Amino acid sequence: MRVIAGSAKGVRLAKVPAGTRPLSDMAREGLFGSLADLVDGARCLDLYAGTGAGGIEALSRGAAGATFVDRAASAVAAIRENLRLTGFEPVGTVVRSPVERWLSRSVAAQDRFDLVLCDPPYDLDGAALGRVLGALGAGWLAPEGWTVVVTRGHRSSAAAVPVHWAVRRQLRYGDSLLTQYREEPWA
């Protein structure tokens, strides 16, 4: 795995920890190509971060900062090593916690994100993922202009999303289906 583009382009990332299913280089390249200028200056949240490759790609392409959340000690160690390898340690925050627990805490105004990458295990059921997305929608997103990207196996169960989230784009790479959501304000 490597960083695809931006200031850290070409940097090889640390070995993928056992039990982690990283998003392929091709899928990350397609995703970030489709996000284009939405990344520059964004505050990024990488949930179920694994190696942190998604959030690190965002940082390389100009995101202002990234918070990485994963419950596995091996994933947290890989993310820290990847931040060191890319020089993004000053703008990356790594949290070891189950995603659901981390999202259940109180949200401060400075904790709101413009770009959320959510790449849960494919076997996470749709109801559990729906609760995570509901928690995100209950104050973790910037007041306007946010994007949430959810990666699922193309055969995984669908998740319930907040009613004001609209699908803006879907991309499929192998078994991975990436769905981009943005707010759909009501008239």
Side-chain angles (χ1 to χ4, degrees):
M1 288 187 39
R2 63 184 173 84
V3 179
I4 304 300
S7 63
K9 179 181 180 178
V11 172
R12 292 227 171 261
L13 300 177
K15 183 179 174 190
V16 175
T20 300
R21 176 203 37 83
L23 195 58
S24 72
D25 288 355
M26 184 173 27
R28 276 185 292 113
E29 183 173 16
L31 170 63
F32 281 93
S34 72
L35 292 172
D37 61 347
L38 297 175
V39 179
D40 194 37
R43 295 198 60 235
C44 179
L45 175 61
D46 191 346
L47 298 175
Y48 306 96
T51 63
I56 287 170
E57 190 71 39
L59 291 170
S60 184
R61 292 173 184 246
T67 299
F68 302 84
V69 182
D70 202 294
R71 70 179 182 182
S74 59
V76 166
I79 296 164
R80 287 191 173 124
E81 176 63 9
N82 287 333
L83 288 170
R84 185 192 68 74
L85 288 169
T86 56
F88 293 132
E89 290 171 296
V91 292
T93 302
V94 184
V95 179
R96 182 175 178 206
S97 173
V99 167
E100 301 81 2
R101 184 181 318 146
W102 190 78
L103 289 173
S104 70
R105 65 187 184 88
S106 297
V107 182
Q110 71 271 13
D111 289 335
R112 295 190 179 181
F113 296 92
D114 307 296
L115 174 62
V116 179
L117 307 173
C118 184
D119 188 7
Y122 286 174
D123 62 355
L124 182 69
D125 69 66
L129 181 56
R131 289 189 297 275
V132 166
L133 299 178
L136 269 175
W140 287 99
L141 302 173
E144 57 187 45
W146 54 263
T147 301
V148 175
V149 179
V150 178
T151 303
R152 298 291 281 160
H154 75 279
R155 293 187 180 141
S156 298
S157 59
V161 297
V163 69
H164 63 287
W165 291 23
V167 173
R168 292 298 184 198
R169 178 173 284 171
Q170 287 191 314
L171 305 166
R172 183 168 172 194
Y173 296 93
D175 190 37
S176 299
L177 179 65
L178 290 77
T179 305
Q180 295 177 25
Y181 297 96
R182 295 200 189 128
E183 183 174 27
E184 184 63 48
W186 297 97

